[in-house]
Amino acid sequence: MESSTSRTSLNCISLVDPDIQRSVALLKQACLDSGFFYVLDHGISQEFMDEVFAESKKFFELPNSEKMKLLRNEKNRGYTPMLDEILDPENQVNGDHKEGYYIGVEVPADDPQSNRPFYGPNQWPSEEILPKWREVMEQYHREALRVAKSVARIIALALNLDEDFFDRPEMLGDSIATLRLLHYEGQVSNPSKGVYGAGAHSDYGLITLLATDDVVGLQICKDRNAQPQVWEYVAPVKGGFIVNLGDMLERWSNSIFRSTLHRVVLDGQERYSIAFFVEPSHDCVVECLPTCKSETNPPKFPPITCSAYLSQRYKDTHADLSTYSDGKA
């Protein structure tokens, strides 16, 4: 049983608000309540955001044969077909009714760093087919990472840490930051029959920045243990990001801050969104922060490296590449 009719209201955080303590208070309240909030005044122009969405749409409108030439590789770079991902295997009858495209930190193949998980060269459509595509996406990756670091500074203050806590090289100074373009087909979801645009899940990393078109579809469940679960729609916000906390931040904060279940439920309209997943460096050890534990509240999770945690989570939710038996043809 579940309920999913209402819209939730989220706090709005402006990155140009001169009153940093107000931003900290709004963010802290959001992180304790739902783990979701809006970020406005982030410095990325609406004109450029429109261009990113337009270029994304151009890719997904390509023939399937062209898209499959860029099928995601073992580094999780490239195209993910419809139904490739199963985020909620207990409740989904098939995979997610969405297709996507992963773009990570660009590391040349001859760089020793490219041997690490999630690092390496990206896959790019040919310039003959999509001439501006790579340039636009690389610029967006840079801009979104800048915004994410600004949000992380406010999160640090909300956790009673130094403002630059997440700026350190082992944190976001050398981060695993992944851009994912998403296209949901014009299909009607049916949760009672296990059919979703994206199944219920929490994100893996530190934070996620989500830009969407104006089609409603994102739902959140503030209490995953409630019976029945209550699902609320999150309204798109023009010119802003929907930001949510990931599982690593919940681990860091000893479950004080929330990594909340969310999903996409479609009403038959096509939907485009752009997610930017922000994780710390490979070797960063995610363990309970000193400000989040005490004798009466000991650490709830064992320490784990970012790389090990991410690798397992991706393996759990994506189809084995060997299932695409004819490769990229």
Side-chain angles (χ1 to χ4, degrees):
M1 290 290 294
E2 64 176 52
S3 168
S4 57
T5 55
S6 64
R7 286 197 185 190
T8 191
S9 61
L10 301 179
N11 286 351
C12 295
I13 293 154
S14 168
L15 294 186
V16 297
D17 190 338
D19 186 352
I20 187 64
Q21 290 309 317
R22 175 167 54 197
S23 296
V24 170
L26 285 169
L27 182 141
K28 189 169 188 175
Q29 181 187 43
C31 293
L32 293 170
D33 175 47
S34 68
F36 274 76
F37 49 92
Y38 295 121
V39 165
L40 308 174
D41 307 316
H42 45 66
I44 303 177
S45 72
Q46 187 59 51
E47 180 182 21
F48 182 60
M49 291 297 301
D50 292 343
E51 186 177 12
V52 178
F53 272 93
E55 292 295 324
S56 173
K57 188 174 182 181
K58 286 178 186 176
F59 173 79
F60 289 120
E61 288 176 342
L62 291 174
N64 199 54
S65 58
E66 285 294 325
K67 292 185 287 191
M68 288 300 286
K69 290 177 183 176
L70 296 161
L71 179 68
R72 68 176 172 87
N73 57 25
E74 69 283 352
K75 298 283 191 179
N76 278 293
R77 304 295 178 89
Y79 176 61
T80 53
M82 289 286 178
L83 309 181
D84 176 81
E85 192 173 12
I86 303 179
L87 290 167
D88 186 11
E90 288 186 17
N91 295 303
Q92 284 181 266
V93 293
N94 291 308
D96 293 353
H97 284 267
K98 70 176 190 292
E99 54 183 342
Y101 201 95
Y102 282 115
I103 301 166
V105 177
E106 182 73 27
V107 178
D110 59 359
D111 187 317
Q113 290 283 345
S114 70
N115 294 319
R116 313 194 80 175
F118 309 106
Y119 268 17
N122 286 298
Q123 299 196 77
W124 300 107
S126 73
E127 293 197 3
E128 290 75 22
I129 298 174
L130 296 174
K132 293 175 59 182
W133 208 82
R134 176 173 181 170
E135 176 188 345
V136 168
M137 296 308 164
E138 288 189 322
Q139 182 181 343
Y140 184 76
H141 194 286
R142 290 192 298 271
E143 292 284 328
L145 184 57
R146 173 187 58 77
V147 174
K149 288 180 177 180
S150 296
V151 174
R153 291 180 192 115
I154 303 174
I155 291 173
L157 293 172
L159 288 168
N160 298 315
L161 301 165
D162 291 338
E163 184 177 10
D164 63 355
F165 179 83
F166 292 110
D167 286 333
R168 293 180 296 171
E170 67 271 25
M171 296 286 187
L172 299 184
D174 193 16
S175 63
I176 301 170
T178 304
L179 168 61
R180 194 178 189 194
L181 311 174
L182 293 163
H183 169 230
Y184 297 85
E185 60 183 357
Q187 183 240 29
V188 178
S189 298
N190 189 336
S192 66
K193 294 186 177 179
V195 178
Y196 303 90
H201 64 287
S202 56
D203 289 347
Y204 315 150
L206 181 68
I207 58 172
T208 302
L209 309 183
L210 182 71
T212 73
D213 61 14
D214 57 3
V215 176
V216 176
L218 176 65
Q219 295 183 337
I220 66 173
C221 175
K222 294 180 183 177
D223 184 358
R224 68 178 68 200
N225 298 316
Q227 292 296 332
Q229 286 185 335
V230 177
W231 289 90
E232 300 173 277
Y233 281 102
V234 175
V237 57
K238 186 74 171 177
F241 286 110
I242 300 166
V243 180
N244 64 280
L245 310 183
D247 296 340
M248 284 188 199
L249 191 53
E250 182 168 301
R251 292 175 76 104
W252 255 316
S253 70
N254 213 20
S255 296
I256 294 171
F257 282 2
R258 307 272 300 282
S259 176
T260 297
L261 277 183
H262 52 286
R263 67 187 188 185
V264 175
V265 174
L266 304 167
D267 65 357
Q269 297 182 78
E270 267 192 307
R271 180 175 181 268
Y272 289 87
S273 65
I274 301 170
F276 189 73
F277 303 105
V278 183
E279 287 100 15
S281 73
H282 289 82
D283 299 327
C284 179
V285 177
V286 181
E287 60 184 335
C288 184
L289 295 166
T291 57
C292 298
K293 62 183 175 182
S294 65
E295 285 187 15
T296 57
N297 185 29
K300 296 178 174 66
F301 307 98
I304 190 170
T305 65
C306 174
S307 181
Y309 185 73
L310 282 182
S311 294
Q312 186 58 52
R313 291 297 299 271
Y314 273 90
K315 183 180 177 183
D316 289 343
T317 55
H318 288 72
D320 191 304
L321 285 170
S322 65
T323 60
Y324 300 103
S325 54
D326 56 352
K328 299 184 183 182

